[in-house]
Amino acid sequence: MEKIYNDYLSEGIEIHSDNFRDDALLKAGLKLNHLRMIVTIEDHGQISAAAESMNMSQPAASRMLSEMESIVKSPLYERVARGVVLTPFGLALAKRARKILLELREAGRELGALRTGRGGSVFLGAVTAPAISLVVPAIQRVTRTYPGIEINIEVENSNVLARELLAARHDFIISRIPDDLDPRLFTAHEIGVEKACLVVRNGHPLLERGVASLHDLAGYDWVFQPPGTLLRRKVEDIFLAAGVPLPENVVNTSSLLLTLAVVCKTDAIAPIALDMAQFICGQTSQAGESSILPIDFDIDVRPYSLITARERAMPPSARLLHDMILEESRHLSPT
């Protein structure tokens, strides 16, 4: 980014600190759509994708960016091979714009709650295990105490959830911080370890063996989460550490429903969160026509945490559910 800054200086582009005093940006014509545009450009890294996201043409998006640069009298982005990157000025504006847009969203939520008499809304994301063991019990408690609260939940992998949190689409998440993101962007409170297991269809040949070893598993088809996800990497690491060849025939999907459909119709093996497996196996449905495969090794995934975005306050309704989940995690922790 320092290089980009110096390049602009060497090209004779003037950068005025006076432009950012008091309410100069508003007086110069900066609008809400400008803020949405700079945030969308940062999220997508391409003008065409940002334009599509904002339901406008690419030329209109380009004109809006030029208009913004004219207003702030500073370069906001630079074209690169695969799209655009924000300059230090663009990044600074995007950071503030994101907070402004979030505050407006929260204002809308609060006003809506006042108009309807409801208790506000919460947006959270979670990986599978704590979604079942922690979020569901906490929801039962909070809705009994505050029946007007509206709760929105996304169950996804950590890579997706962390980015959704940074984009202000969640109030908080129960997840892990991905290795490729700066941990200083988050505040995390570790609350548990996700245990996983292997599931197979009822009547699977391996169930007749009692307890299966890694060597018993290698010759079967597998259903995995997409490459790079934590549970998949954990299972692959177990195979590699034992010197057992990795499975060759693999179906990749992030859909639990599709995973169970493949397992129940074939001899494939799938690793899933233990809490989810215990909930599903034995249910009176086709998804329940599966069993947990006894194995002679453990699948413990990296601990998960209650994670919030640093320097971003949660609305009262989200703080309430956050604290109830934290309390629920303490009840489940071994003494």
Side-chain angles (χ1 to χ4, degrees):
M1 288 302 177
E2 183 178 353
K3 178 182 181 299
I4 296 173
Y5 177 87
N6 291 333
D7 287 346
Y8 279 112
L9 291 181
S10 66
E11 292 172 9
I13 296 178
E14 295 183 5
I15 299 169
H16 303 282
S17 61
D18 289 346
N19 296 321
F20 301 101
R21 293 178 181 174
D22 301 326
D23 57 351
L25 293 179
L26 292 178
K27 289 180 178 178
L30 193 69
K31 298 179 175 63
L32 194 58
N33 264 352
H34 293 137
L35 302 184
R36 292 195 183 99
M37 174 56 72
I38 197 69
V39 168
T40 308
I41 285 289
E42 184 182 31
D43 288 343
H44 292 277
Q46 292 182 328
I47 295 177
S48 59
E52 182 178 354
S53 177
M54 293 187 64
N55 296 315
M56 65 172 62
S57 67
Q58 184 170 340
S62 296
R63 286 194 299 271
M64 182 178 287
L65 285 169
S66 297
E67 187 178 273
M68 294 168 64
E69 290 187 325
S70 176
I71 291 170
V72 303
K73 295 183 171 60
S74 300
L76 296 178
Y77 71 100
E78 181 185 59
R79 295 187 183 275
V80 294
R82 295 187 177 181
V84 295
V85 294
L86 297 184
T87 67
F89 303 97
L91 289 170
L93 183 59
K95 177 182 177 182
R96 299 296 178 180
R98 197 178 295 278
K99 290 182 179 181
I100 292 168
L101 294 173
L102 176 64
E103 286 300 318
L104 287 173
R105 189 191 79 177
E106 294 307 319
R109 287 165 62 176
E110 187 172 343
L111 292 172
L114 289 171
R115 281 195 300 268
T116 62
R118 302 176 70 180
S121 56
V122 185
F123 293 82
L124 71 108
V127 293
T128 303
I132 294 174
S133 62
L134 296 176
V135 175
V136 171
I139 287 175
Q140 291 175 326
R141 291 178 58 198
V142 76
T143 52
R144 281 198 303 265
T145 309
Y146 302 94
I149 200 167
E150 180 181 277
I151 299 171
N152 306 273
I153 308 172
E154 178 183 25
V155 179
E156 255 293 358
N157 63 63
S158 297
N159 293 336
V160 172
L161 293 177
R163 286 164 172 80
E164 295 278 289
L165 177 64
L166 291 179
R169 297 187 182 96
H170 295 311
D171 296 312
F172 65 93
I173 59 175
I174 310 175
S175 177
R176 297 109 177 158
I177 299 173
D179 294 335
D180 62 339
L181 291 181
D182 185 353
R184 290 172 294 185
L185 298 173
F186 306 92
T187 299
H189 185 101
E190 187 175 307
I191 58 173
V193 174
E194 183 175 6
K195 293 186 175 292
C197 65
L198 303 180
V199 294
V200 295
R201 66 172 176 83
N202 291 342
H204 194 283
L206 287 175
L207 291 173
E208 301 175 1
R209 302 192 181 190
V211 178
S213 69
L214 277 175
H215 293 278
D216 298 325
L217 309 177
Y220 287 89
D221 295 348
W222 282 68
V223 186
F224 274 125
Q225 289 184 320
T229 49
L230 281 173
L231 178 53
R232 177 171 183 157
R233 283 162 46 194
K234 178 63 180 181
V235 174
E236 289 173 339
D237 287 346
I238 291 173
F239 272 87
L240 293 172
V244 178
L246 292 172
E248 293 185 358
N249 298 323
V250 172
V251 174
N252 299 317
T253 178
S254 59
S255 167
L256 178 63
L257 183 61
L258 182 58
T259 296
L260 292 171
V262 174
V263 164
C264 290
K265 298 296 183 181
T266 69
D267 283 341
I269 302 169
I272 66 172
L274 180 59
D275 288 333
M276 177 60 75
Q278 290 173 334
F279 177 77
I280 291 172
C281 293
Q283 299 291 320
T284 55
S285 67
Q286 283 195 338
E289 295 176 2
S290 55
S291 299
I292 297 175
L293 178 67
I295 51 178
D296 60 1
F297 54 93
D298 295 324
I299 308 175
D300 291 339
V301 188
R302 202 168 77 194
Y304 51 78
S305 302
L306 263 175
I307 303 174
T308 57
R310 192 177 294 275
E311 298 181 357
R312 194 172 82 212
M314 285 188 290
S317 53
R319 171 59 64 182
L320 176 67
L321 183 59
H322 174 282
D323 292 347
M324 284 194 174
I325 291 173
L326 181 59
E327 183 180 344
E328 197 71 32
S329 72
R330 290 168 178 161
H331 291 158
L332 293 180
S333 299
T335 56

